[in-house]
């Protein structure tokens, strides 16, 4: 074979490096007939621009300044939807202008999947710029209910998400604003290599206004976003058992939510692994700051959440391992066995809890597995909780329902829990290190209760001044506990009360409890050797 000349080799190299970009052609949607007057329906024109750009090899589809009314538009490979400053993609209020390219059933059993901007089985897609995508959610709902007579709990699923990205590779969403979805705002399903940065979401006014739903995605980065949502703000899901949420890094988010700010679950069939969340600010959130929920078979493991500030948040932390065991794509999936929660660390948290909460009087942290399935290896470290207090002696003996197969929500465990600080049940290897509580009012409930636990550690905690409580800490059927270096400012009948004939090996070391006369109180069914004192 004749040797290639230098100039020919150079030409081939340039072509190989450039790839399809040599044939790419950026387009403007107005060149295909789109009109930005806010009333002309531009679905067909925008889709023609996207299709033409794709056929030419890919590139940017520009949306210029103006208000462009549209129904469903579908992105394709190598397409960047560029929203210029002043550009608005405005969702139609006619529900028939939307398509469902990937139907599925969400956690409440409702068929969903319609969307305004959608990409399914694509690669190298981007949405960027200073413009806005607005779903007109409240107006669309008002139009829908004129003809859809079903109950709201059923008909909401027919309303479109604002953005759906399904089984796509190399996804970038940067700089844009996503406003007022008619359902979930953005849903990323089984995608790989996702980069979301400086996105602003304001989505309130109708039910189910989730902000970001990361569903079975891998290699995800989310940074410096601002989310105000009527429902969960940042929510990880696995609505399929076939692909885990894995290798995810989140930082620098501001989150305000009508439900949970940071949530893993509820839809939870496949694992959630190797997730790091840090440097987030959560405020005015009405149903949980941090919520980890495996109820459909997921293994939640190797999770680290830290450097989080919460202000006016109802119930700062909920961790739940349950057995609802739902299936969301019944034609593609099968029911999973009960999952696990293990090797989770939540640290460096400062939370001012709201004075009113789902459970009254309020509590700070709720942790519960189910009988025979413990939450394992959970560490809570360097946490400050400012709580309302107000619990009574009767509240301290409240029995909390197991609710094994129920939807996992804070209210599921109502009407209240018997500890004001941390209540934990069905746990193994729980570590509480440097936890500080402050109270607005006296509370007669224990600061910490553990029911059915193994190998519990509580170290260097600071308990505020209270008077009249029966115990500061109560252990019920706990086999192995080490309580050390904890400071109690107030008075109580006992520092630690131990109950249940399964309790054993409770060790107390170097605790400072100057106003408490009795270090340990044992229930009648326990022997004196249960506790080892310093």
């Amino acid at each position: 074979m004749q040797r290639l000349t230098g100039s020919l080799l150079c030409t081939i190299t340039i072509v190989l490096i450039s790839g399809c970009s040599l044939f790419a052609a950026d387009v403007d949607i107005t060149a295909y007939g789109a009109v930005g007057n806010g009333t002309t329906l531009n679905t067909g024109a925008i889709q023609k621009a996207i299709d033409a750009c794709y056929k030419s090899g890919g590139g940017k589809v520009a949306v210029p300044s103006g208000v462009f009314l549209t129904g469903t538009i579908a992105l394709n490979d190598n397409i960047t939807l560029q929203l210029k400053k002043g550009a608005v993609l405005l969702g139609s209020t006619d529900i028939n202008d939307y398509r469902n390219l990937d139907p599925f059933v969400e956690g409440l059993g409702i068929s969903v999947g319609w969307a305004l901007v959608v990409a399914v089985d694509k690669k190298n897609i981007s949405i960027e710029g200073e413009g806005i995508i607005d779903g007109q959610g409240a107006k669309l709902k008002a139009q829908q209910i004129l003809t859809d007579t079903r109950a709201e709990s059923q008909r909401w699923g027919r309303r479109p998400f604002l953005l759906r990205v399904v089984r796509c590779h190399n996804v970038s969403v940067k700089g844009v604003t996503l406003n007022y979805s008619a359902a979930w705002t953005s849903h990323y399903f089984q995608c790989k290599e996702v980069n979301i940065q400086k996105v602003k979401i304001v989505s309130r006014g109708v039910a189910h206004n989730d902000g970001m739903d990361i569903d079975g995605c891998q290699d995800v980065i989310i940074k410096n976003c601002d989310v105000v949502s009527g429902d969960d703000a940042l929510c990880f899901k696995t609505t399929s058992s076939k692909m885990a949420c894995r290798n995810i890094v989140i930082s620098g988010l501001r989150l305000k939510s009508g439900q949970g700010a940071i949530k893993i679950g509820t839809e939870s069939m496949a694992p959630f692994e190797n997730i790091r969340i840090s440097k987030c600010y959560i405020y005015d959130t009405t149903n949980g700051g941090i919520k980890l929920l495996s109820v459909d078979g997921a293994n939640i493991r190797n999770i680290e959440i830290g450097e989080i500030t919460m202000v006016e948040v109802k119930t700062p932390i909920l961790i739940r391992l349950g057995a609802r065991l739902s299936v969301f794509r019944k034609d593609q999936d099968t029911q999973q066995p009960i999952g696990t929660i293990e090797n989770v660390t939540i640290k460096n948290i400062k939370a001012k809890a709201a004075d009113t909460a789902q459970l009254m009087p309020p509590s700070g942290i709720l942790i519960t597995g189910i009988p025979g399935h413990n939450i394992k290896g959970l560490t809570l470290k360097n946490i400050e909780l400012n709580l309302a207090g107000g619990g009574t002696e009767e509240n301290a003996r409240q029995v909390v329902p197991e609710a094994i197969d129920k939807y996992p929500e804070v209210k599921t465990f109502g009407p209240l829990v018997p500890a004001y600080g941390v209540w934990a049940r069905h746990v193994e290897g729980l570590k509480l290190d440097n936890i500080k509580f402050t109270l607005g009012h006296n509370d007669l409930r224990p600061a910490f209760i553990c029911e059915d636990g193994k190998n519990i550690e509580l170290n260097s905690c600071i308990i505020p001044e209270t008077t009249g409580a029966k115990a500061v800490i109560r252990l019920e059927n706990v086999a192995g506990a080490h309580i050390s270096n904890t400071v109690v400012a107030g008075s109580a009948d006992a520092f630690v009360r131990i109950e249940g004939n399964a309790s054993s090996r409770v060790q107390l070391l170097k605790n400072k409890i100057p106003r408490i006369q009795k270090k340990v109180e044992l229930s009648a069914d326990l022997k004196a050797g249960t506790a080892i004192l310093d």
Side-chain angles (χ1 to χ4, degrees):
M1 182 181 292
Q2 189 175 10
R3 184 175 294 180
L4 293 171
T5 66
S7 59
L8 179 58
L9 180 61
C10 181
T11 300
I12 291 173
T13 302
I14 291 171
V15 171
L16 289 174
I17 292 172
S18 301
C20 293
S21 63
L22 286 178
F23 306 101
D26 296 347
V27 302
D28 188 302
I29 62 171
T30 58
Y32 291 82
V35 179
N37 59 11
T39 57
T40 300
L41 187 66
N42 294 288
T43 311
I46 297 172
Q47 193 63 57
K48 285 180 182 178
I50 293 169
D51 294 345
C53 188
Y54 166 68
K55 289 176 182 177
S56 73
K60 294 181 179 179
V61 176
V63 182
S65 180
V67 180
F68 296 88
L69 187 70
T70 183
T72 297
I73 56 173
L75 304 183
N76 215 321
D77 295 339
N78 307 311
I79 294 294
T80 294
L81 183 64
Q82 185 180 51
L83 298 166
K84 302 283 191 176
K85 187 175 182 180
V88 179
L89 276 182
L90 189 66
S92 168
T93 58
D94 185 346
I95 209 162
N96 297 310
D97 288 332
Y98 296 93
R99 294 183 288 155
N100 190 344
L101 303 186
D102 179 68
F104 73 103
V105 175
E106 57 75 68
L108 296 173
I110 305 301
S111 295
V112 295
W114 287 264
L116 176 58
V117 179
V118 62
V120 178
D121 296 314
K122 305 304 177 186
K123 63 181 182 295
N124 306 328
I125 62 168
S126 299
I127 301 173
E128 64 178 35
E130 299 179 65
I132 296 170
I133 304 175
D134 189 325
Q136 297 198 95
K139 291 182 179 179
L140 186 147
K141 176 184 174 180
Q143 289 297 314
Q144 178 198 19
I145 65 179
L146 296 177
T147 56
D148 190 337
T149 58
R150 292 177 297 168
E152 175 63 16
S153 61
Q154 295 293 319
R155 68 186 169 209
W156 81 265
R158 180 60 183 83
R159 298 200 286 267
F161 298 1
L162 203 64
L163 171 63
R164 282 204 74 206
V165 185
V166 177
R167 296 184 299 274
C168 293
H169 191 175
N170 191 17
V171 177
S172 176
V173 182
K174 294 183 179 180
V176 296
T177 297
L178 307 178
N179 283 348
Y180 303 111
S181 179
W184 297 357
T185 305
S186 56
H187 180 222
Y188 303 84
F189 175 66
Q190 291 188 346
C191 296
K192 292 185 177 181
E193 296 186 22
V194 179
N195 192 339
I196 304 170
Q197 295 196 39
K198 296 183 179 179
V199 170
K200 183 176 181 180
I201 293 176
V202 179
S203 196
R204 303 176 73 90
V206 297
H208 311 286
N209 274 154
D210 287 15
M212 295 181 185
D213 289 305
I214 310 300
D215 187 350
C217 295
Q218 298 180 1
D219 304 316
V220 178
I221 295 174
I222 304 176
K223 290 185 176 180
N224 303 324
C225 296
D226 191 333
V227 180
V228 176
S229 61
D231 209 311
D232 299 321
L234 172 65
C235 186
F236 302 91
K237 305 173 181 286
T238 49
T239 59
S240 165
S241 69
K242 295 178 172 58
M243 188 165 164
C245 263
R246 180 182 294 133
N247 300 336
I248 297 172
V249 177
I250 314 287
S251 66
L253 273 57
R254 286 179 55 89
L255 304 169
K256 176 181 178 179
S257 171
Q259 290 293 327
I262 298 171
K263 186 165 91 166
I264 294 179
T266 302
E267 295 95 329
S268 49
M269 296 189 70
F272 300 89
E273 302 171 322
N274 305 335
I275 298 174
R276 302 289 179 267
I277 304 172
S278 65
K279 298 179 181 178
C280 295
Y281 179 78
I282 299 170
Y283 65 105
D284 297 345
T285 289
T286 59
N287 203 4
I290 299 169
K291 301 162 82 171
L292 310 183
L293 314 168
S294 171
V295 293
D296 301 315
N299 298 309
I300 298 179
R301 55 198 172 205
N302 302 332
I303 310 295
E304 184 175 295
I305 302 174
E307 298 177 78
I308 308 293
T309 298
M310 307 186 204
V311 178
E312 294 301 318
V313 173
K314 295 183 179 181
T315 311
I317 299 175
L318 168 66
I319 302 175
R320 168 60 160 170
L321 172 62
R324 181 183 63 172
L325 303 181
S326 291
V327 177
F328 307 103
R329 288 170 167 81
K330 292 181 171 57
D331 58 335
Q332 306 171 26
D333 227 328
T334 57
Q335 189 178 73
Q336 302 298 296
I338 296 170
T340 62
I341 298 179
E342 56 189 357
N343 191 22
V344 172
T345 298
I346 301 175
K347 64 180 182 178
N348 303 330
I349 309 292
K350 292 185 177 181
K352 167 61 177 72
D355 288 347
T356 59
Q358 310 92 314
L359 309 181
M360 290 295 291
S363 296
I365 300 174
L366 283 63
I367 305 163
T368 179
I370 58 177
H373 295 272
N374 291 341
I375 294 171
K376 298 180 179 180
L378 171 64
T379 298
L380 304 177
K381 184 177 181 179
N382 302 335
I383 295 177
E384 296 183 18
L385 291 179
N386 184 301
L387 301 160
T392 67
E393 186 174 333
E394 181 182 8
N395 296 155
R397 286 295 175 180
Q398 179 69 42
V399 176
V400 180
E402 291 284 357
I404 292 171
D405 60 352
K406 302 302 182 184
Y407 189 92
E409 201 49 271
V410 174
K411 66 181 181 181
T412 303
F413 304 102
L416 58 94
V417 297
Y420 70 75
V422 178
W423 172 79
R425 180 174 63 185
H426 310 311
V427 293
E428 183 173 345
L430 173 65
K431 296 181 180 180
L432 305 180
D433 187 5
N434 191 27
I435 312 297
K436 179 181 179 180
F437 304 111
T438 57
L439 290 171
H441 299 87
N442 194 49
D443 202 308
L444 299 184
R445 296 174 295 171
F448 171 62
I449 292 176
C450 184
E451 305 172 17
D452 182 25
K454 296 179 181 178
N455 302 323
I456 308 304
E457 295 183 21
L458 193 151
N459 180 60
S460 299
C461 295
I462 299 175
I463 311 299
E465 182 170 356
T466 59
T467 60
K470 295 295 184 183
V472 175
I473 296 169
R474 190 165 76 233
L475 306 177
E476 303 178 18
N477 293 307
V478 171
H482 183 91
I483 302 170
S484 62
N485 300 305
T486 289
V487 177
V488 180
S491 62
D493 290 355
F495 176 46
V496 179
R497 178 171 171 82
I498 306 173
E499 302 177 355
N501 56 22
S503 292
S504 63
R505 298 180 288 109
V506 177
Q507 184 177 32
L508 280 66
L509 182 66
K510 297 181 180 179
N511 298 290
K512 297 180 180 179
I513 51 173
R515 296 175 59 190
I516 299 176
Q517 296 299 317
K518 188 182 293 186
K519 291 183 179 179
V520 175
E521 182 177 68
L522 304 178
S523 61
D525 55 345
L526 291 175
K527 297 179 180 179
T530 300
I532 304 169
L533 306 181
D534 53 276

